[in-house]
Amino acid sequence: MSAMIGEIVTLVLMAIALGMDAFSVGLGMGMYKLRLRQIFKIGLTIGLFHVWMPLVGMLAGKYLSAKFGTFATLIGGLLLILLGIQMIWSSFKKGDEKVITPIGFGLLLFALSVSLDSFSLGLTLGIYGAKTLMVIICFGVVATMQTWAGLLLGRKVQGWLGVYGEALGGGILLAFGFKLLHLFW
């Protein structure tokens, strides 16, 4: 029972780290004075993308794990570390921000852009052998709620947490990557 609780806590922390970019971008996008109906749709769309992207990654990761065993665990830890470093690095780059309108194709592009890293994490979790249903529920629910929180908060404040939120998420993924490598060694 305590192992399952530990796994759930770990997955929720990973989901929070992964959803920080959706929260951060939501902060900025929330300043467009979106209607509540639009905020609801955006959150659900991003949540769905945070379900199917890690699912595809996990299926690929389970295949790799079955074929490559312990070597796959090493690759999974390294992927988490690279993903964490990439999130931290991109959070401090200036001038690369693109304005995407959260309507129609723009919403799908926005959801894809903030959930691409969940594919890599899903790949790692598939290699590690995490429970698929727990992963996709945690990732989907947390990403949806973080997106809603970012959009609603963005309506109230200017982007005071945006850059630092994504950096914090990257730091958490980096720590989990080192933890996974520690288990390997």
Side-chain angles (χ1 to χ4, degrees):
M1 182 66 168
S2 74
M4 188 170 94
I5 291 171
E7 186 173 357
I8 290 172
V9 168
T10 299
L11 287 174
V12 168
L13 288 174
M14 284 183 159
I16 289 169
L18 197 59
M20 288 306 285
D21 56 346
F23 175 79
S24 300
V25 175
L27 274 174
M29 195 166 286
M31 289 183 234
Y32 289 123
K33 303 291 185 198
L34 300 170
R35 294 184 188 147
L36 290 177
R37 186 181 325 162
Q38 289 174 302
I39 288 173
F40 182 75
K41 285 181 187 178
I42 292 168
L44 284 182
T45 304
I46 289 173
L48 288 173
F49 270 75
H50 272 80
V51 166
W52 74 267
M53 291 294 281
L55 180 61
V56 171
M58 286 184 76
L59 294 174
K62 286 182 181 184
Y63 173 78
L64 290 175
S65 179
K67 295 290 182 193
F68 300 106
T70 317
F71 181 69
T73 305
L74 174 66
I75 298 297
L78 291 174
L79 275 174
L80 276 179
I81 290 170
L82 287 174
L83 183 58
I85 290 170
Q86 186 272 329
M87 280 180 72
I88 292 168
W89 177 261
S90 70
S91 71
F92 292 108
K93 287 197 304 189
K94 302 284 186 219
D96 289 6
E97 299 167 340
K98 296 180 180 114
V99 178
I100 301 172
T101 352
I103 300 166
F105 182 72
L107 174 57
L108 295 178
L109 189 60
F110 171 65
L112 180 65
S113 71
V114 297
S115 65
L116 274 176
D117 48 359
S118 65
F119 173 81
S120 303
L121 188 55
L123 184 67
T124 301
L125 292 172
I127 290 169
Y128 187 62
K131 294 174 180 60
T132 305
L133 187 59
M134 277 201 308
V135 169
I136 62 174
I137 288 173
C138 283
F139 284 17
V141 168
V142 169
T144 301
M145 295 180 77
Q146 282 183 293
T147 303
W148 285 338
L151 289 166
L152 291 170
L153 191 58
R155 288 175 63 170
K156 301 283 181 199
V157 299
Q158 299 297 321
W160 53 268
L161 183 62
V163 169
Y164 302 108
E166 189 174 354
L168 176 63
I172 292 171
L173 292 180
L174 190 66
F176 279 115
F178 282 122
K179 179 182 179 194
L180 191 59
L181 286 181
H182 183 290
L183 294 174
F184 177 76
W185 300 111

